[in-house]
Amino acid sequence: MNCNNLKIGALVLSATVLAGLFGCHSSQPVVNVESDLDFCHGRVTRALADLTAGDSVDYTMIPRNIAPGDSLWTLRPAVAEEWCSGFWPGVLWLDYEATGDEEVARQARNYTDALASILDRPVFDHDLGFLMFCSYGNGYRLTGDAHYKDMILRAADSLATLYNPAVGTMLSWPRNVEMFGGHNTIMDNMINLETLFWAADNGGDQSLRDIAVHHADTTMKYHFRPDGTCYHVAVYDPETGAFKRGCTHQGYADGSTWARGQAWAVYGYTVVYRSTREQRFLDFAKKVTDAYLSRLPEDHIPYWDFDDPSIPDAPRDASAACVVASALTELIGYVDNETASRYKRELNGMLLSLSTDAYRPTDNCRSALLHSTGHHPAGSEIDYSIIYADYYYMEALNRFAKIKDLSNFASL
Ligand code: GLY
């Protein structure tokens, strides 16, 4: 057995204990989470050094991606029509969580504060949840700053204005109603339910919880095929609420399974079960997870769309693997022992693959991961480093590092 010892705070877990905890087979070592978080810290601090060099730092310019072969983050304005601005402050908060580095925390605050003006306008689209919860949400979780809490509560109220009670879901893209021929809800929107549940549990209106539960139930009813795979987009009649069709925007075809869409479903229903403890949501979280896992290639990292006919020559999407890995660190705490053992092996396999040279950039590159795919049909960010892959990778590693026994998972 080639399992390294793992130090978690003051606790040193032996290879044997970890092997038992993760159902580690003799051929599969346990991921070395401490070393992986150290590696991420190195990438984060180098990127921060680039971004904060010079006399004046523009905190409104936020890392988004790195093209294949390049090494520096391409920046985008934080408060334009950009859905990824919360991930870089989130990466900094997650790095601070792992290392306790106060300079990283100081910069996490600066980048988080740069997003404030997003709330000064009516909600642009459903991505408000991603934007505010990855930044302010992590900031509040780690510092307890009351201002951050207030910002998340405001974000939840704003997000809720996208809810259509006739349909039972939040509208994802107001600007695309005509293009899709109705009220469009994309699977990614499941991630925003965490903001609503959190707000309802932390002083916000209880209607936010009702909206989140209705959204999850409606999505469960219409957005999936019988085998548990999902459409990217569900289109509804905004007046009657009738389901009109399932289709894609970022996937290969309407009938295909876009890997990150399925990953959002895994993460989303895990959060919904955490927040409701309703058995139907746990059953469904398992169903969509099994649909995802059953289609993975040997190295546990999905092709960008499970049905791209050019597989095995199609690009991968490491970001989807990171989203699922992070969700699995929690889901293994809710499921029966046999399922948990299976999911632990998959989780370990995903994190191991992501730490190999196949997915890890060379030393000069500022990101932690290669090989994510953003919007393949638009020819955008194909086989790139993308900031949300790093975010969910670091979230998965941080959560993994806290695994001591299964009973503490619900508090993560
Ligand atoms: N939410 C957009 C994406 O996953 O690409």
PDB file of all heavy atoms in Angstrom, residues 249-272:
ATOM      1  N   HIS A 249     -27.493  24.626 -24.379  1.00  0.00           N
ATOM      2  CA  HIS A 249     -26.835  25.877 -24.778  1.00  0.00           C
ATOM      3  C   HIS A 249     -25.332  25.646 -24.843  1.00  0.00           C
ATOM      4  O   HIS A 249     -24.700  25.993 -25.811  1.00  0.00           O
ATOM      5  CB  HIS A 249     -27.177  26.985 -23.778  1.00  0.00           C
ATOM      6  CG  HIS A 249     -26.670  28.332 -24.191  1.00  0.00           C
ATOM      7  ND1 HIS A 249     -27.092  28.970 -25.342  1.00  0.00           N
ATOM      8  CD2 HIS A 249     -25.758  29.169 -23.617  1.00  0.00           C
ATOM      9  CE1 HIS A 249     -26.464  30.133 -25.464  1.00  0.00           C
ATOM     10  NE2 HIS A 249     -25.645  30.273 -24.424  1.00  0.00           N
ATOM     11  N   GLN A 250     -24.794  24.978 -23.834  1.00  0.00           N
ATOM     12  CA  GLN A 250     -23.338  24.756 -23.790  1.00  0.00           C
ATOM     13  C   GLN A 250     -22.950  23.303 -24.060  1.00  0.00           C
ATOM     14  O   GLN A 250     -21.755  22.981 -24.042  1.00  0.00           O
ATOM     15  CB  GLN A 250     -22.781  25.226 -22.437  1.00  0.00           C
ATOM     16  CG  GLN A 250     -22.629  26.737 -22.377  1.00  0.00           C
ATOM     17  CD  GLN A 250     -22.369  27.269 -20.982  1.00  0.00           C
ATOM     18  OE1 GLN A 250     -23.250  27.847 -20.366  1.00  0.00           O
ATOM     19  NE2 GLN A 250     -21.172  27.078 -20.478  1.00  0.00           N
ATOM     20  N   GLY A 251     -23.914  22.439 -24.266  1.00  0.00           N
ATOM     21  CA  GLY A 251     -23.603  21.042 -24.522  1.00  0.00           C
ATOM     22  C   GLY A 251     -23.487  20.724 -26.006  1.00  0.00           C
ATOM     23  O   GLY A 251     -23.616  21.604 -26.866  1.00  0.00           O
ATOM     24  N   TYR A 252     -23.268  19.428 -26.293  1.00  0.00           N
ATOM     25  CA  TYR A 252     -23.084  18.993 -27.678  1.00  0.00           C
ATOM     26  C   TYR A 252     -24.400  19.017 -28.461  1.00  0.00           C
ATOM     27  O   TYR A 252     -24.437  19.411 -29.623  1.00  0.00           O
ATOM     28  CB  TYR A 252     -22.489  17.580 -27.682  1.00  0.00           C
ATOM     29  CG  TYR A 252     -22.367  17.007 -29.060  1.00  0.00           C
ATOM     30  CD1 TYR A 252     -21.352  17.425 -29.925  1.00  0.00           C
ATOM     31  CD2 TYR A 252     -23.299  16.077 -29.534  1.00  0.00           C
ATOM     32  CE1 TYR A 252     -21.268  16.944 -31.211  1.00  0.00           C
ATOM     33  CE2 TYR A 252     -23.213  15.581 -30.822  1.00  0.00           C
ATOM     34  CZ  TYR A 252     -22.194  16.018 -31.662  1.00  0.00           C
ATOM     35  OH  TYR A 252     -22.118  15.541 -32.933  1.00  0.00           O
ATOM     36  N   ALA A 253     -25.481  18.578 -27.841  1.00  0.00           N
ATOM     37  CA  ALA A 253     -26.781  18.509 -28.513  1.00  0.00           C
ATOM     38  C   ALA A 253     -27.882  18.543 -27.462  1.00  0.00           C
ATOM     39  O   ALA A 253     -27.638  18.294 -26.279  1.00  0.00           O
ATOM     40  CB  ALA A 253     -26.873  17.215 -29.328  1.00  0.00           C
ATOM     41  N   ASP A 254     -29.109  18.798 -27.917  1.00  0.00           N
ATOM     42  CA  ASP A 254     -30.228  18.861 -26.964  1.00  0.00           C
ATOM     43  C   ASP A 254     -30.348  17.564 -26.172  1.00  0.00           C
ATOM     44  O   ASP A 254     -30.687  17.575 -24.988  1.00  0.00           O
ATOM     45  CB  ASP A 254     -31.540  19.119 -27.707  1.00  0.00           C
ATOM     46  CG  ASP A 254     -31.621  20.540 -28.261  1.00  0.00           C
ATOM     47  OD1 ASP A 254     -30.785  21.388 -27.856  1.00  0.00           O
ATOM     48  OD2 ASP A 254     -32.505  20.795 -29.100  1.00  0.00           O
ATOM     49  N   GLY A 255     -30.083  16.452 -26.837  1.00  0.00           N
ATOM     50  CA  GLY A 255     -30.260  15.155 -26.178  1.00  0.00           C
ATOM     51  C   GLY A 255     -29.004  14.624 -25.510  1.00  0.00           C
ATOM     52  O   GLY A 255     -29.005  13.515 -24.976  1.00  0.00           O
ATOM     53  N   SER A 256     -27.932  15.405 -25.528  1.00  0.00           N
ATOM     54  CA  SER A 256     -26.674  14.922 -24.934  1.00  0.00           C
ATOM     55  C   SER A 256     -26.579  15.324 -23.466  1.00  0.00           C
ATOM     56  O   SER A 256     -27.406  16.086 -22.956  1.00  0.00           O
ATOM     57  CB  SER A 256     -25.477  15.487 -25.708  1.00  0.00           C
ATOM     58  OG  SER A 256     -25.299  16.867 -25.402  1.00  0.00           O
ATOM     59  N   THR A 257     -25.544  14.814 -22.809  1.00  0.00           N
ATOM     60  CA  THR A 257     -25.322  15.178 -21.401  1.00  0.00           C
ATOM     61  C   THR A 257     -24.034  15.979 -21.307  1.00  0.00           C
ATOM     62  O   THR A 257     -22.927  15.430 -21.413  1.00  0.00           O
ATOM     63  CB  THR A 257     -25.255  13.918 -20.515  1.00  0.00           C
ATOM     64  OG1 THR A 257     -26.499  13.220 -20.662  1.00  0.00           O
ATOM     65  CG2 THR A 257     -25.068  14.294 -19.053  1.00  0.00           C
ATOM     66  N   TRP A 258     -24.217  17.270 -21.103  1.00  0.00           N
ATOM     67  CA  TRP A 258     -23.102  18.204 -20.903  1.00  0.00           C
ATOM     68  C   TRP A 258     -22.545  17.942 -19.505  1.00  0.00           C
ATOM     69  O   TRP A 258     -23.278  17.984 -18.514  1.00  0.00           O
ATOM     70  CB  TRP A 258     -23.618  19.628 -21.042  1.00  0.00           C
ATOM     71  CG  TRP A 258     -22.631  20.719 -20.774  1.00  0.00           C
ATOM     72  CD1 TRP A 258     -21.381  20.850 -21.297  1.00  0.00           C
ATOM     73  CD2 TRP A 258     -22.836  21.856 -19.918  1.00  0.00           C
ATOM     74  NE1 TRP A 258     -20.787  22.002 -20.824  1.00  0.00           N
ATOM     75  CE2 TRP A 258     -21.654  22.636 -19.972  1.00  0.00           C
ATOM     76  CE3 TRP A 258     -23.884  22.292 -19.127  1.00  0.00           C
ATOM     77  CZ2 TRP A 258     -21.503  23.819 -19.258  1.00  0.00           C
ATOM     78  CZ3 TRP A 258     -23.737  23.474 -18.414  1.00  0.00           C
ATOM     79  CH2 TRP A 258     -22.559  24.221 -18.485  1.00  0.00           C
ATOM     80  N   ALA A 259     -21.237  17.647 -19.429  1.00  0.00           N
ATOM     81  CA  ALA A 259     -20.677  17.159 -18.165  1.00  0.00           C
ATOM     82  C   ALA A 259     -20.844  18.157 -17.023  1.00  0.00           C
ATOM     83  O   ALA A 259     -21.201  17.781 -15.906  1.00  0.00           O
ATOM     84  CB  ALA A 259     -19.197  16.815 -18.352  1.00  0.00           C
ATOM     85  N   ARG A 260     -20.591  19.448 -17.291  1.00  0.00           N
ATOM     86  CA  ARG A 260     -20.685  20.383 -16.157  1.00  0.00           C
ATOM     87  C   ARG A 260     -22.134  20.591 -15.736  1.00  0.00           C
ATOM     88  O   ARG A 260     -22.408  20.823 -14.557  1.00  0.00           O
ATOM     89  CB  ARG A 260     -19.992  21.713 -16.465  1.00  0.00           C
ATOM     90  CG  ARG A 260     -19.696  22.479 -15.180  1.00  0.00           C
ATOM     91  CD  ARG A 260     -18.678  23.595 -15.295  1.00  0.00           C
ATOM     92  NE  ARG A 260     -18.987  24.589 -16.283  1.00  0.00           N
ATOM     93  CZ  ARG A 260     -18.432  24.662 -17.489  1.00  0.00           C
ATOM     94  NH1 ARG A 260     -17.509  23.797 -17.864  1.00  0.00           N
ATOM     95  NH2 ARG A 260     -18.779  25.608 -18.339  1.00  0.00           N
ATOM     96  N   GLY A 261     -23.065  20.487 -16.688  1.00  0.00           N
ATOM     97  CA  GLY A 261     -24.471  20.572 -16.294  1.00  0.00           C
ATOM     98  C   GLY A 261     -24.825  19.457 -15.321  1.00  0.00           C
ATOM     99  O   GLY A 261     -25.472  19.670 -14.290  1.00  0.00           O
ATOM    100  N   GLN A 262     -24.369  18.243 -15.635  1.00  0.00           N
ATOM    101  CA  GLN A 262     -24.640  17.110 -14.739  1.00  0.00           C
ATOM    102  C   GLN A 262     -23.927  17.326 -13.397  1.00  0.00           C
ATOM    103  O   GLN A 262     -24.456  16.989 -12.335  1.00  0.00           O
ATOM    104  CB  GLN A 262     -24.178  15.813 -15.404  1.00  0.00           C
ATOM    105  CG  GLN A 262     -24.694  14.551 -14.739  1.00  0.00           C
ATOM    106  CD  GLN A 262     -26.204  14.323 -14.921  1.00  0.00           C
ATOM    107  OE1 GLN A 262     -26.806  14.835 -15.878  1.00  0.00           O
ATOM    108  NE2 GLN A 262     -26.810  13.579 -14.015  1.00  0.00           N
ATOM    109  N   ALA A 263     -22.740  17.923 -13.455  1.00  0.00           N
ATOM    110  CA  ALA A 263     -22.010  18.215 -12.212  1.00  0.00           C
ATOM    111  C   ALA A 263     -22.772  19.222 -11.348  1.00  0.00           C
ATOM    112  O   ALA A 263     -22.850  19.079 -10.124  1.00  0.00           O
ATOM    113  CB  ALA A 263     -20.612  18.755 -12.541  1.00  0.00           C
ATOM    114  N   TRP A 264     -23.357  20.243 -11.979  1.00  0.00           N
ATOM    115  CA  TRP A 264     -24.156  21.202 -11.196  1.00  0.00           C
ATOM    116  C   TRP A 264     -25.339  20.486 -10.533  1.00  0.00           C
ATOM    117  O   TRP A 264     -25.739  20.830  -9.416  1.00  0.00           O
ATOM    118  CB  TRP A 264     -24.676  22.335 -12.084  1.00  0.00           C
ATOM    119  CG  TRP A 264     -23.658  23.267 -12.709  1.00  0.00           C
ATOM    120  CD1 TRP A 264     -23.666  23.728 -13.993  1.00  0.00           C
ATOM    121  CD2 TRP A 264     -22.528  23.922 -12.079  1.00  0.00           C
ATOM    122  NE1 TRP A 264     -22.619  24.599 -14.207  1.00  0.00           N
ATOM    123  CE2 TRP A 264     -21.904  24.738 -13.052  1.00  0.00           C
ATOM    124  CE3 TRP A 264     -21.983  23.879 -10.788  1.00  0.00           C
ATOM    125  CZ2 TRP A 264     -20.762  25.502 -12.773  1.00  0.00           C
ATOM    126  CZ3 TRP A 264     -20.841  24.634 -10.512  1.00  0.00           C
ATOM    127  CH2 TRP A 264     -20.259  25.430 -11.497  1.00  0.00           C
ATOM    128  N   ALA A 265     -25.889  19.507 -11.221  1.00  0.00           N
ATOM    129  CA  ALA A 265     -27.019  18.758 -10.636  1.00  0.00           C
ATOM    130  C   ALA A 265     -26.563  17.978  -9.408  1.00  0.00           C
ATOM    131  O   ALA A 265     -27.249  17.944  -8.378  1.00  0.00           O
ATOM    132  CB  ALA A 265     -27.620  17.824 -11.686  1.00  0.00           C
ATOM    133  N   VAL A 266     -25.414  17.343  -9.499  1.00  0.00           N
ATOM    134  CA  VAL A 266     -24.871  16.571  -8.361  1.00  0.00           C
ATOM    135  C   VAL A 266     -24.679  17.492  -7.154  1.00  0.00           C
ATOM    136  O   VAL A 266     -25.130  17.209  -6.040  1.00  0.00           O
ATOM    137  CB  VAL A 266     -23.534  15.899  -8.744  1.00  0.00           C
ATOM    138  CG1 VAL A 266     -22.871  15.273  -7.526  1.00  0.00           C
ATOM    139  CG2 VAL A 266     -23.749  14.861  -9.848  1.00  0.00           C
ATOM    140  N   TYR A 267     -24.023  18.606  -7.392  1.00  0.00           N
ATOM    141  CA  TYR A 267     -23.737  19.560  -6.312  1.00  0.00           C
ATOM    142  C   TYR A 267     -25.048  20.149  -5.778  1.00  0.00           C
ATOM    143  O   TYR A 267     -25.284  20.251  -4.567  1.00  0.00           O
ATOM    144  CB  TYR A 267     -22.820  20.658  -6.855  1.00  0.00           C
ATOM    145  CG  TYR A 267     -22.124  21.526  -5.834  1.00  0.00           C
ATOM    146  CD1 TYR A 267     -20.745  21.479  -5.659  1.00  0.00           C
ATOM    147  CD2 TYR A 267     -22.839  22.448  -5.072  1.00  0.00           C
ATOM    148  CE1 TYR A 267     -20.090  22.299  -4.737  1.00  0.00           C
ATOM    149  CE2 TYR A 267     -22.195  23.278  -4.148  1.00  0.00           C
ATOM    150  CZ  TYR A 267     -20.832  23.196  -3.993  1.00  0.00           C
ATOM    151  OH  TYR A 267     -20.184  24.015  -3.089  1.00  0.00           O
ATOM    152  N   GLY A 268     -25.910  20.546  -6.718  1.00  0.00           N
ATOM    153  CA  GLY A 268     -27.146  21.233  -6.330  1.00  0.00           C
ATOM    154  C   GLY A 268     -28.047  20.367  -5.460  1.00  0.00           C
ATOM    155  O   GLY A 268     -28.520  20.804  -4.405  1.00  0.00           O
ATOM    156  N   TYR A 269     -28.280  19.117  -5.865  1.00  0.00           N
ATOM    157  CA  TYR A 269     -29.182  18.267  -5.067  1.00  0.00           C
ATOM    158  C   TYR A 269     -28.540  17.827  -3.755  1.00  0.00           C
ATOM    159  O   TYR A 269     -29.248  17.556  -2.783  1.00  0.00           O
ATOM    160  CB  TYR A 269     -29.713  17.104  -5.905  1.00  0.00           C
ATOM    161  CG  TYR A 269     -30.846  17.606  -6.775  1.00  0.00           C
ATOM    162  CD1 TYR A 269     -30.612  17.981  -8.094  1.00  0.00           C
ATOM    163  CD2 TYR A 269     -32.115  17.802  -6.246  1.00  0.00           C
ATOM    164  CE1 TYR A 269     -31.625  18.531  -8.872  1.00  0.00           C
ATOM    165  CE2 TYR A 269     -33.140  18.344  -7.017  1.00  0.00           C
ATOM    166  CZ  TYR A 269     -32.889  18.705  -8.317  1.00  0.00           C
ATOM    167  OH  TYR A 269     -33.891  19.269  -9.068  1.00  0.00           O
ATOM    168  N   THR A 270     -27.221  17.794  -3.702  1.00  0.00           N
ATOM    169  CA  THR A 270     -26.554  17.534  -2.412  1.00  0.00           C
ATOM    170  C   THR A 270     -26.844  18.676  -1.443  1.00  0.00           C
ATOM    171  O   THR A 270     -27.181  18.461  -0.269  1.00  0.00           O
ATOM    172  CB  THR A 270     -25.033  17.370  -2.626  1.00  0.00           C
ATOM    173  OG1 THR A 270     -24.815  16.273  -3.519  1.00  0.00           O
ATOM    174  CG2 THR A 270     -24.310  17.100  -1.314  1.00  0.00           C
ATOM    175  N   VAL A 271     -26.759  19.902  -1.939  1.00  0.00           N
ATOM    176  CA  VAL A 271     -27.055  21.074  -1.091  1.00  0.00           C
ATOM    177  C   VAL A 271     -28.534  21.086  -0.693  1.00  0.00           C
ATOM    178  O   VAL A 271     -28.882  21.392   0.453  1.00  0.00           O
ATOM    179  CB  VAL A 271     -26.673  22.374  -1.833  1.00  0.00           C
ATOM    180  CG1 VAL A 271     -27.233  23.595  -1.112  1.00  0.00           C
ATOM    181  CG2 VAL A 271     -25.160  22.474  -1.961  1.00  0.00           C
ATOM    182  N   VAL A 272     -29.406  20.739  -1.633  1.00  0.00           N
ATOM    183  CA  VAL A 272     -30.841  20.745  -1.308  1.00  0.00           C
ATOM    184  C   VAL A 272     -31.137  19.709  -0.223  1.00  0.00           C
ATOM    185  O   VAL A 272     -31.904  19.975   0.708  1.00  0.00           O
ATOM    186  CB  VAL A 272     -31.690  20.486  -2.575  1.00  0.00           C
ATOM    187  CG1 VAL A 272     -33.169  20.334  -2.206  1.00  0.00           C
ATOM    188  CG2 VAL A 272     -31.523  21.624  -3.574  1.00  0.00           C
TER     189      VAL A 272
END
